[in-house]
Amino acid sequence: MKIYADNAATTKMSRAAIEAMIPCLEEDYGNPSSLYSLGQRAKEILERARAGVAAVMSADPGEIVFTSGGSEADNQAILSAAEAGRKAGKAHIVSTAFEHHAVLHTLKKLEREGFAVTLLDVHEDGLVRPEELEAAIRADTCLVTVMYANNEIGTIQPIGEIGAICKRRGVLFHTDAVQAVGHLPIDVRSENIDLLSASAHKFHGPKGVGFLYARRGVRLASLIEGGAQERGKRAGTENVAAAVGMAAALKESAARMKENAARMSALRDRLIAGLSEIPHSALNGNAVKRLPGNVSFCFEGIEGESLLLLLDDRGISASSGSACTSGSLDPSHVLLAIGRVHDVAHGSLRLTIGEDTTEEEVDYMIRNVKEVVERLRGFSPVWRDLVNGKGRFIL
Ligand SMILES: *Cc1c(COP(=O)(O)O)cnc(C)c1O
């Protein structure tokens, strides 16, 4: 059996997205900045894609800038807010300890330039406490950036509450919604979101394209200088086909969101229940306030990397922590942020199911993860010490 259970890393493109892109590549290949009809047609197609994306978020088309993906949107949102803050004499930013590296590394860069950054605790359940967030806001705070849903442990933040606080306190609010767009209902107006990042390949669109929503009136700085594309906010000839593929994928995801979420949550909970039977294991993050497809566990006494290799042998594509940190010896900053100690964080497994995942596949994963964990523990000196009472079980 071949099972793709790494949908948080990327998703398979939907048929609708592929089919929407083909005419853009074959016939409507004009440059949207050209004045002749072939170019103007490409421009029309691009603007239709923009309107489609905006509609799903309750945004206006003029509030959407197409980017090369989630990382670029995160960088642009944060650097724009920082630049505006600096001009107003405000150089403090509030975020969380478990953001994606596209956010954390941008904040690090700003710290080197003199900004102060407060990273909020996300507690053992992987959730930000709105009252702690409000208490962290200072007179010189120019931005709050909190991810909508975490990519490793799937926890969904109280975005509406955070948005309301930021609005009341007059601070810009950005959310990295890369894991949420196409999977959770989002309304930028009612949730008081000023800036939002998204990436197409996380909701069955193509890789290398995403968008940044910026509420009307929020000034964006451009990261790439050049032509006046994207209203001067993002230079470079637009990737029309990719934008169209993204819009088609998002439209389909939005139309099926409710039924997909119900089905996937049920399968997720079945998978969680099955893996919970493994002794000395623990689910990472709140069990209820989590993405419909996310299952994240720590197993004591094993290495996540070996677990992944053995699961791959059995046809299961899974992940241990985020794709960016796997391969390095540092345990995931997300797992450390929820209080997992190094040894436990090393034994992590993330299975992210998709819309096509079946009950049969879930049962296959449960059976195989159980077997592989047991096998690895059989070889593990750490596990032997724990069992012999030379170490202390944490989970
Ligand atoms: C995948 C991801 C990103 C990066 O998006 P890219 O389009 O791959 O650059 C940013 N934030 C989160 C939460 C993600 O899951």
Side-chain angles (χ1 to χ4, degrees):
M1 205 181 253
K2 282 264 175 249
I3 300 174
Y4 183 69
D6 203 13
N7 284 280
T10 196
T11 57
K12 179 180 169 174
M13 273 185 74
S14 66
R15 185 48 46 196
I18 295 170
E19 277 170 9
M21 287 174 77
I22 291 171
C24 301
L25 301 167
E26 283 184 341
E27 296 141 37
D28 304 313
Y29 53 81
N31 185 324
S33 300
S34 301
L35 291 179
Y36 43 76
S37 46
L38 187 71
Q40 287 309 296
R41 172 145 174 81
K43 172 94 185 143
E44 251 175 63
I45 293 169
L46 183 71
E47 293 316 314
R48 219 178 303 139
R50 195 187 311 280
V53 166
V56 172
M57 331 283 314
S58 309
D60 288 334
E63 296 173 315
I64 303 293
V65 172
F66 291 128
T67 66
S68 68
S71 300
E72 184 186 330
D74 282 340
N75 275 256
Q76 189 170 14
I78 294 168
L79 295 175
S80 298
E83 191 174 305
R86 193 178 348 235
K87 281 182 187 150
K90 295 179 171 186
H92 175 243
I93 298 172
V94 176
S95 188
T96 79
F98 77 163
E99 296 296 310
H100 190 273
H101 282 138
V103 169
L104 288 178
H105 291 174
T106 305
L107 294 176
K108 271 269 167 274
K109 172 165 136 169
L110 288 171
E111 275 186 319
R112 288 193 295 271
E113 293 173 11
F115 277 80
V117 175
T118 302
L119 295 184
L120 297 167
D121 186 5
V122 290
H123 300 261
E124 220 175 301
D125 58 4
L127 296 171
V128 172
R129 302 295 187 266
E131 61 279 11
E132 291 177 7
L133 181 137
E134 176 144 34
I137 295 176
R138 319 190 308 208
D140 63 342
T141 305
C142 61
L143 174 69
V144 167
T145 171
V146 174
M147 68 200 316
Y148 208 110
N150 185 269
N151 47 305
E152 288 187 42
I153 61 172
T155 50
I156 301 169
Q157 302 307 319
I159 292 299
E161 280 177 73
I162 297 172
I165 291 169
C166 293
K167 186 176 182 194
R168 181 152 37 79
R169 301 291 298 270
V171 177
L172 280 180
F173 175 39
H174 166 248
T175 183
D176 172 344
V178 173
Q179 290 290 332
V181 172
H183 302 279
L184 300 174
I186 297 177
D187 183 318
V188 291
R189 301 266 174 261
S190 69
E191 294 174 280
N192 291 301
I193 297 167
D194 297 311
L195 294 151
L196 175 146
S197 311
S199 175
H201 75 99
K202 303 291 175 76
F203 53 79
H204 306 284
K207 291 170 187 53
V209 65
F211 65 86
L212 172 58
Y213 153 81
R215 182 175 53 74
R216 191 179 309 287
V218 175
R219 276 192 71 85
L220 287 183
S222 80
L223 302 185
I224 300 171
E225 300 303 332
Q229 291 93 352
E230 299 294 298
R231 301 181 310 285
K233 304 306 177 202
R234 208 275 183 180
T237 304
E238 301 90 339
N239 190 342
V240 179
V244 166
M246 171 163 69
L250 186 54
K251 185 176 172 191
E252 187 175 67
S253 296
R256 299 185 181 166
M257 189 178 288
K258 240 184 153 156
E259 53 174 297
N260 279 338
R263 254 200 48 255
M264 285 163 66
S265 307
L267 290 176
R268 172 198 69 193
D269 292 342
R270 184 183 180 93
L271 186 50
I272 290 174
L275 298 183
S276 298
E277 289 170 5
I278 297 174
H280 304 287
S281 70
L283 177 71
N284 296 314
N286 188 287
V288 181
K289 291 175 183 163
R290 73 190 296 130
L291 289 167
N294 180 288
V295 174
S296 168
F297 265 83
C298 281
F299 304 108
E300 212 161 355
I302 62 164
E303 286 292 334
E305 281 74 29
S306 332
L307 182 57
L308 295 190
L309 293 176
L310 292 184
L311 288 177
D312 188 29
D313 286 344
R314 294 165 183 236
I316 301 170
S317 304
S319 152
S320 174
S322 77
C324 327
T325 43
S326 57
S328 90
L329 284 174
D330 293 334
S332 141
H333 70 286
V334 174
L335 297 175
L336 297 180
I338 61 166
R340 296 284 184 228
V341 298
H342 277 64
D343 283 356
V344 170
H346 274 303
S348 67
L349 173 69
R350 179 186 73 182
L351 296 165
T352 41
I353 61 174
E355 288 78 358
D356 310 332
T357 307
T358 64
E359 197 169 290
E360 192 192 0
E361 289 178 334
V362 164
D363 292 343
Y364 179 87
M365 287 192 275
I366 295 172
R367 203 161 59 241
N368 281 279
V369 173
K370 280 181 174 171
E371 284 174 15
V372 168
V373 167
E374 197 173 307
R375 181 147 163 243
L376 286 171
R377 282 176 172 171
F379 303 138
S380 160
V382 177
W383 180 255
R384 198 175 322 122
D385 284 351
L386 288 170
V387 171
N388 294 335
K390 285 188 203 149
R392 209 167 45 83
F393 282 111
I394 294 164
L395 302 181

